Amino acid sequence: MQSTDLGNKESGKIWHRKPSPATRDGIIVNIIHNTSDYLPKVLRFLNVAFDSSGDCLLAGDHQGNIYVFDLHGNRFNLVQRTAQACTALAFNLHRKSEFLVALADYSIKCFDTVTKELVSWMRGHESSVFSISVHASGRYAITSSSDTAQLWDLDTFQRKRKLNILQSVGIQKVFFLPLSNTILSCFKDNSVFAWECDTLFCKYQLPAPPESSSLLYKVFAVTRDGRILAAGGKSNHVHLWCLEAKQLFRIIQMPTKVRAVRHLEFLPDSFDAGSNQVLGVLSQDGIMRFVNIQTCKLLFEIGSLDDGITSSIISPHGRYIAAIMENGSLNIYSVHTLTKEINKPPPPLVKVIEDLPKRKVSSGDLKMKVTSGRVQRPAKSRENKMQTRILKQDLTGNFENKENELSDGLNKKRLQILLKGYGEYPTKYRMFIWRSLLQLPENHTAFSNLLDKGIHVAFLNLEKTYPIKSRKLLRVLQRTLSALAHWSTIFSDTPYLPLLAFPFVKLFQNNQLICFEVVATLIINWCQHWFEYFPNPPINVLSMIENVLAFHDKELLQHFIEHDITSQYFFHHRNNLDISAVIKEVYRLMDTTPTDIHPDSMLDAFVALTKGQYPVFNQYPKFIVDYQTQERERIRKDELDYLRERQTVEDMQAEVDQQRVEDEAWYEKQEQLRKAEETRREMLLQEEEKMIQQRERLAAVKRELKVKEMHLQEAARRRLLQLQQEQREMELRRLDDEIERKIHMRDREIAATAKDLEMRHLELESQKRLYEKNLTRNQEAVAKEMREDADACRRKADLEEHMFHRLIGMDQTQNQKTQKREEAEEKDLHLKSEKKASTLSEASRKWFLEKEINDALHAQHACNKGSLNQRKAYWDSMEPDLMARVRNLRQRLATQARNRCQTPHLLAT
């Protein structure tokens, strides 16, 4: 078993060597998805779906990664990352590259596997979608959740219908029946309804299960022909319903190990015309068991207790089974490998051909040789003829009794008696009886191998030779004849084979396998020795017929001879006759024909087809058939070459004809263009003449309009002048009014300004008197302080003078020191006086400035009532006066300071 890890790869090969699945498990490949992060983990697959071809598989994991696995091309590709878990998938839409995915957010999205783009986004469910069923046409889909089912149009991706139900009932599954327009809805109360897809008309309801059964249906499956419904649940019973009869016809009891059924699915077969006979049952133990619903025999199983299966799906053609395992991986199984032991061929058979002398058969001539399961049957007497016999292995000893016993409890002798008595078998059991009488092996695998070879080249154009109205019958006939030709080469050169096979094709058109085996059995047993003289007619068989005819009706034979009609010409004409009379006549001929000319002396006993593999049919001149085949192949190749050359010539002729047609069309086009050009020129001249006339008329009209325009302009000009004059007069009146208003306002403002100026003058006068008063007070304080300083200086001078008289006797050195000290003190006193005068001056200046600023603020408040220009003029007129007053004050303060500084010197002097 090969194992493939997807890892972080977006594409690659599924397997790296040719798969060789083991017979015990049938696993082609095991696919896992591990991340390569720091902490690796397994990404579990949740859902899988096959496309309509059965060779491509879609799988999605719980992180929303969706992969496409091409089992035919051995490739996988990551087609989408949805970033959320998918709950259902569908891959069988009518646009083959598109698929549907139901996501955990209750929405359904449609993506394209080629472009990897979002095609549509469908919303409407309020719970998780667990099922998507697509119509056989691929144009409609049904999505099911626990509370509703919705029908979608996949062309427009619009919702067409919605099924709402009571929450207490709940939906188990809603899906399309295959190959029909019927919708089957299954609910949790075991009720099953069938609806018409277009009108949603309820077609029927299945009756309730038997009262003795307590099974609640949870899982369902339908055969490909839509006739049988399988239902299961928490039990080991599986109910089979016939949807045509609308009744329960079988209950299958699974082994006791099965306690609950988790999934059901029929195994398709290419040769059962959709009436699938094998049902896959997945139980709670993770093992999927495949049983035959007719015989109730267990055929094979997949999965195990250690490696169980959680869900599975089977490809439409029944070749692959995809199963999601409990560990999250994906297993791909080969159905052919799993069924190999079931379809194993029987031991090989031997064809005995030998010459025997013409005599009656005695007991001593019954010789049987058994070797490795190969059985020789004793040959009958012959008259220079070949005796052929093929027998199955029989080790029980009683061959005749064994030969009369058929499968399914039927007896050949009794059936022969019944047929002779009634002339036919009951209609209901006729097909079943003939299948048993002919002992058809139903070799599905061998017939599948013949069909896989395709349509034989000899029957590619069958509809031209044998036109059939029904396309289905034509396809079945073509496949049956092709299978016969692949089985034995001679049947590709048998011109009457379609006429021989068509009645059986029409009878068994719904089961091609049975049709093929019936025709093959007919050829082996009832067409013996027909091909020994191929391509000539079977002279030996025709001679036998002539002998029988000569014995029973010599006059008819003489009539044929007289008209030169031999057994090698064939005439056919459709007449109405009593078939029962014909059959009676045949029985009479068989009973009354002598042994020496009886067909039994030449023909072998009935031999059924072998089980597992079909016998080799080589009762014909192989070298002639091979030569004819080679010649036919050569002729076919020559014909193909001829057809290719003829096609090339025809293509060249077509190109020449096309070129000639194009040239003729070009010349004709040119002529038409020339004529059109001349016509256009004439029309242009006429149009120019008309244009000249129109221009003259237009010029006259323009002149008239110009004169009218001039008159209108003159009138408009006069009206404009009048209007301008009136506007100017109005403007003058408005200006006069404005001037008068301005003059009045100016007079009022001048009067108000004059009043303001008078008030300001009074305020300034009061401020001046207050300032002079304060200045006088300051001057008096300064003068008082200066007088006090002068008195102090005078007292000090007196003291010094007194001390001078006392110290007059001191030496000159002491006098110099004293003088120096006095000078220092005088300088110090002078500096202090200047500093104090400066302080007083600065304080006076600050007080004056603060006063002036306050006055200015009051003046500004008063002036705000007037215009801005007046306020500016006022301040401009006041500024020189104020500045002059400030300068005078500064000069006066400086003079006073100088006077204070000179006073000590005067006192000292």
Side-chain angles (χ1 to χ4, degrees):
M1 178 184 69
Q2 298 189 55
S3 182
T4 300
D5 187 358
L6 303 182
N8 292 332
K9 294 181 292 185
E10 295 188 357
S11 62
K13 291 185 177 181
I14 304 176
W15 52 77
H16 296 279
R17 64 180 185 274
K18 186 177 180 180
S20 56
T23 306
R24 58 182 177 82
D25 57 16
I27 299 177
I28 299 176
V29 65
N30 171 253
I31 301 172
I32 58 177
H33 190 188
N34 293 328
T35 60
S36 58
D37 301 334
Y38 178 73
L39 293 175
K41 60 180 179 179
V42 177
L43 300 183
R44 300 175 55 87
F45 287 103
L46 297 180
N47 287 280
V48 290
F50 277 99
D51 67 349
S52 56
S53 68
D55 292 326
C56 285
L57 174 70
L58 198 71
D61 59 27
H62 71 275
Q63 285 193 354
N65 302 310
I66 301 178
Y67 291 86
V68 169
F69 298 93
D70 185 358
L71 302 179
H72 179 73
N74 186 26
R75 298 290 300 176
F76 73 86
N77 286 286
L78 176 64
V79 295
Q80 198 56 234
R81 287 190 174 99
T82 61
Q84 53 182 321
C86 62
T87 58
L89 289 172
F91 198 20
N92 52 343
L93 281 62
H94 70 284
R95 288 183 287 269
K96 304 302 181 184
S97 62
E98 294 181 359
F99 66 91
L100 296 177
V101 53
L103 301 174
D105 62 355
Y106 312 152
S107 66
I108 303 103
K109 293 183 179 180
C110 179
F111 293 100
D112 193 296
T113 58
V114 178
T115 62
K116 301 182 180 180
E117 294 180 352
L118 176 65
V119 178
S120 182
W121 192 346
M122 298 175 285
R123 292 181 177 273
H125 283 278
E126 297 180 356
S127 60
S128 179
V129 177
F130 57 77
S131 172
I132 300 177
S133 176
V134 180
H135 190 265
S137 65
R139 298 185 179 275
Y140 302 99
I142 295 177
T143 57
S144 304
S145 59
S146 60
D147 56 350
T148 183
Q150 301 186 17
L151 176 63
W152 303 87
D153 186 342
L154 297 183
D155 287 329
T156 61
F157 295 100
Q158 298 294 321
R159 185 175 63 193
K160 295 186 63 178
R161 302 279 184 169
K162 183 178 180 180
L163 173 64
N164 291 319
I165 62 169
L166 296 176
Q167 190 174 4
S168 59
V169 178
I171 294 176
Q172 288 289 10
K173 192 173 184 181
V174 180
F175 56 95
F176 287 104
L177 286 182
L179 306 177
S180 71
N181 276 343
T182 303
I183 300 175
L184 213 63
S185 59
C186 310
F187 302 99
K188 293 183 179 180
D189 59 354
N190 274 14
S191 59
V192 178
F193 292 87
W195 312 83
E196 182 64 33
C197 176
D198 298 329
T199 62
L200 288 186
F201 173 76
C202 183
K203 299 174 68 174
Y204 58 85
Q205 178 185 0
L206 294 182
E211 297 180 356
S212 59
S213 175
S214 61
L215 174 61
L216 290 177
Y217 297 155
K218 292 185 176 296
V219 290
F220 304 87
V222 180
T223 56
R224 300 293 174 177
D225 59 4
R227 295 181 178 179
I228 298 177
L229 171 68
K234 197 172 182 181
S235 170
N236 66 342
H237 288 179
V238 177
H239 288 188
L240 298 181
W241 290 84
C242 178
L243 297 182
E244 292 181 341
K246 305 175 187 60
Q247 63 181 2
L248 180 68
F249 72 93
R250 183 166 299 164
I251 298 178
I252 300 177
Q253 183 176 3
M254 298 298 294
T256 55
K257 299 178 183 179
V258 177
R259 298 190 304 275
V261 177
R262 294 167 55 181
H263 182 68
L264 291 172
E265 189 159 5
F266 281 95
L267 181 63
D269 196 320
S270 302
F271 319 115
D272 56 11
S275 59
N276 311 134
Q277 302 297 312
V278 179
L279 177 64
V281 181
L282 177 62
S283 56
Q284 87 291 337
D285 56 3
I287 299 176
M288 192 168 188
R289 299 169 174 86
F290 289 82
V291 298
N292 188 300
I293 61 174
Q294 298 296 334
T295 63
C296 297
K297 292 182 179 179
L298 178 63
L299 302 180
F300 63 92
E301 59 185 31
I302 59 176
S304 63
L305 296 176
D306 297 331
D307 192 12
I309 299 174
T310 59
S311 63
S312 66
I313 187 171
I314 304 175
S315 62
H317 50 48
R319 295 182 183 175
Y320 306 108
I321 302 175
I324 298 178
M325 313 308 291
E326 291 179 349
N327 58 8
S329 64
L330 179 64
N331 279 358
I332 309 296
Y333 294 87
S334 170
V335 176
H336 175 72
T337 304
L338 293 170
T339 58
K340 185 179 295 183
E341 290 296 328
I342 302 173
N343 298 326
K344 187 176 181 181
L349 304 177
V350 174
K351 180 185 296 183
V352 180
I353 302 176
E354 60 181 39
D355 292 337
L356 295 177
K358 182 180 179 182
R359 58 186 177 86
K360 293 184 178 180
V361 180
S362 63
S363 60
D365 294 328
L366 293 176
K367 297 180 180 179
M368 299 186 66
K369 184 177 181 181
V370 180
T371 307
S372 299
R374 305 187 180 192
V375 180
Q376 261 188 338
R377 186 179 178 88
K380 293 184 179 181
S381 60
R382 59 97 180 170
E383 186 176 355
N384 297 328
K385 298 181 180 67
M386 304 294 291
Q387 183 72 13
T388 305
R389 182 70 170 173
I390 303 175
L391 297 178
K392 291 185 178 179
Q393 184 178 5
D394 184 9
L395 302 178
T396 60
N398 192 346
F399 181 77
E400 288 188 1
N401 293 335
K402 186 69 176 180
E403 197 174 47
N404 288 328
E405 292 296 331
L406 301 175
S407 60
D408 301 316
L410 300 179
N411 185 276
K412 186 186 299 183
K413 291 294 184 180
R414 294 179 181 177
L415 292 176
Q416 288 177 351
I417 296 173
L418 182 64
L419 183 61
K420 288 183 179 180
Y422 294 95
E424 62 180 359
Y425 293 120
T427 304
K428 184 176 181 180
Y429 303 103
R430 185 178 302 157
M431 304 290 290
F432 170 72
I433 292 174
W434 279 113
R435 287 171 64 174
S436 300
L437 283 173
L438 297 179
Q439 301 176 24
L440 301 181
E442 300 186 18
N443 298 330
H444 295 274
T445 303
F447 184 59
S448 175
N449 294 333
L450 293 176
L451 282 187
D452 289 342
K453 295 181 180 180
I455 303 300
H456 197 277
V457 66
F459 305 107
L460 286 175
N461 299 319
L462 182 65
E463 67 276 4
K464 297 180 180 178
T465 310
Y466 299 96
I468 301 176
K469 185 177 181 180
S470 173
R471 300 296 301 174
K472 179 181 179 181
L473 282 177
L474 179 63
R475 287 195 302 269
V476 175
L477 178 62
Q478 198 174 30
R479 292 176 182 175
T480 303
L481 297 177
S482 299
L484 290 170
H486 290 308
W487 175 44
S488 183
T489 310
I490 192 172
F491 298 127
S492 63
D493 291 327
T494 307
Y496 54 83
L497 187 62
L499 293 175
L500 178 66
F502 181 74
F504 301 98
V505 169
K506 191 173 182 180
L507 184 62
F508 299 101
Q509 57 181 312
N510 293 326
N511 197 328
Q512 300 178 39
L513 171 65
I514 300 301
C515 178
F516 170 81
E517 293 186 348
V518 168
V519 176
T521 304
L522 178 71
I523 291 174
I524 289 177
N525 293 278
W526 283 273
C527 299
Q528 296 181 29
H529 310 296
W530 281 29
F531 310 102
E532 293 180 356
Y533 295 93
F534 188 84
N536 298 316
I539 304 299
N540 49 353
V541 178
L542 295 177
S543 300
M544 177 188 64
I545 295 174
E546 285 186 2
N547 294 334
V548 174
L549 184 61
F551 177 80
H552 290 283
D553 198 340
K554 294 181 180 180
E555 295 179 358
L556 180 59
L557 178 62
Q558 186 64 30
H559 175 75
F560 287 155
I561 293 173
E562 290 176 356
H563 291 81
D564 197 19
I565 298 174
T566 67
S567 59
Q568 301 180 25
Y569 296 110
F570 176 70
F571 299 94
H572 64 94
H573 182 73
R574 181 174 297 178
N575 291 320
N576 294 325
L577 49 86
D578 186 3
I579 191 66
S580 60
V582 175
I583 294 175
K584 289 180 180 179
E585 181 63 20
V586 171
Y587 279 124
R588 186 188 67 80
L589 293 176
M590 289 182 63
D591 294 337
T592 58
T593 302
T595 305
D596 55 344
I597 63 173
H598 199 284
D600 287 344
S601 62
M602 180 180 178
L603 302 177
D604 297 331
F606 174 79
V607 176
L609 296 177
T610 55
K611 188 75 174 178
Q613 298 293 332
Y614 296 116
V616 177
F617 187 84
N618 55 5
Q619 299 178 12
Y620 59 89
K622 191 174 185 302
F623 68 95
I624 295 178
V625 175
D626 293 343
Y627 174 75
Q628 286 189 347
T629 303
Q630 295 174 2
E631 285 298 310
R632 186 170 61 253
E633 184 66 20
R634 182 184 61 79
I635 293 172
R636 189 181 67 84
K637 291 182 179 179
D638 294 342
E639 184 179 1
L640 290 176
D641 295 338
Y642 166 72
L643 291 175
R644 281 195 293 268
E645 293 178 358
R646 189 177 70 176
Q647 185 65 34
T648 304
V649 173
E650 290 178 354
D651 293 342
M652 294 176 63
Q653 184 64 35
E655 291 180 1
V656 172
D657 295 341
Q658 181 68 20
Q659 187 65 35
R660 185 176 67 254
V661 171
E662 291 178 355
D663 293 342
E664 292 177 356
W666 185 81
Y667 285 122
E668 184 178 357
K669 186 72 173 179
Q670 294 299 319
E671 182 66 22
Q672 293 177 355
L673 290 175
R674 186 185 63 78
K675 292 181 180 179
E677 185 178 1
E678 293 178 355
T679 305
R680 299 298 189 279
R681 289 183 183 277
E682 294 177 358
M683 293 174 62
L684 185 61
L685 292 175
Q686 295 175 2
E687 291 295 329
E688 287 181 353
E689 184 66 25
K690 292 180 181 179
M691 189 177 295
I692 291 172
Q693 295 175 2
Q694 289 179 356
R695 284 177 180 175
E696 292 177 353
R697 289 194 297 269
L698 184 62
V701 173
K702 283 184 177 180
R703 285 193 297 272
E704 294 178 0
L705 291 176
K706 190 68 175 176
V707 173
K708 290 182 180 180
E709 183 180 0
M710 292 175 63
H711 290 304
L712 291 174
Q713 287 179 353
E714 181 66 22
R717 187 180 65 80
R718 288 195 296 270
R719 285 197 301 272
L720 180 61
L721 292 175
Q722 182 68 25
L723 181 62
Q724 289 178 350
Q725 183 176 358
E726 293 175 355
Q727 288 180 349
R728 287 177 181 175
E729 291 176 355
M730 290 176 63
E731 185 69 20
L732 288 174
R733 287 194 298 271
R734 187 180 65 78
L735 290 175
D736 291 341
D737 295 340
E738 185 69 19
I739 290 171
E740 291 178 357
R741 188 177 64 80
K742 291 282 187 182
I743 292 172
H744 180 68
M745 290 179 63
R746 184 190 61 186
D747 293 342
R748 291 178 61 185
E749 289 179 355
I750 290 173
T753 304
K755 291 179 180 180
D756 291 339
L757 289 176
E758 291 177 357
M759 293 297 294
R760 182 61 181 165
H761 180 70
L762 294 175
E763 290 177 355
L764 290 176
E765 287 295 331
S766 62
Q767 290 175 1
K768 180 180 179 182
R769 287 193 294 270
L770 180 62
Y771 175 72
E772 289 176 351
K773 183 178 179 180
N774 293 332
L775 183 61
T776 302
R777 188 183 298 112
N778 291 335
Q779 288 178 352
E780 290 177 354
V782 171
K784 183 178 179 181
E785 184 178 358
M786 290 176 67
R787 285 193 298 271
E788 290 177 354
D789 291 337
D791 292 339
C793 291
R794 188 170 54 255
R795 286 191 299 271
K796 185 177 180 180
D798 294 339
L799 179 61
E800 289 177 352
E801 186 178 358
H802 177 71
M803 290 299 294
F804 177 74
H805 290 291
R806 286 181 59 186
L807 297 175
I808 192 147
M810 298 178 77
D811 55 2
Q812 187 65 32
T813 305
Q814 185 69 26
N815 291 334
Q816 291 178 354
K817 291 182 179 180
T818 303
Q819 186 178 1
K820 290 180 180 181
R821 185 173 61 253
E822 292 176 354
E823 290 177 358
E825 291 177 354
E826 183 180 358
K827 289 180 180 180
D828 184 54
L829 181 61
H830 177 67
L831 289 174
K832 289 181 178 179
S833 300
E834 287 183 353
K835 186 175 181 180
K836 185 177 291 186
S838 177
T839 301
L840 291 174
S841 175
E842 183 68 22
S844 299
R845 186 177 66 82
K846 286 182 179 181
W847 175 84
F848 179 75
L849 287 176
E850 289 176 358
K851 184 65 176 176
E852 291 298 326
I853 289 172
N854 291 331
D855 295 342
L857 290 175
H858 287 294
Q860 184 178 3
H861 179 69
C863 291
N864 282 337
K865 298 179 181 179
S867 65
L868 179 63
N869 293 331
Q870 292 173 349
R871 290 195 298 269
K872 183 178 181 182
Y874 171 76
W875 282 108
D876 291 341
S877 62
M878 291 294 293
E879 184 177 4
D881 184 31
L882 293 175
M883 295 302 295
R885 292 170 64 184
V886 170
R887 282 195 299 272
N888 293 334
L889 180 59
R890 288 179 177 174
Q891 290 176 1
R892 290 166 60 185
L893 291 174
T895 302
Q896 292 177 1
R898 284 194 301 271
N899 292 333
R900 285 195 299 270
C901 292
Q902 291 176 359
T903 302
H905 294 285
L906 294 175
L907 293 175
T909 304

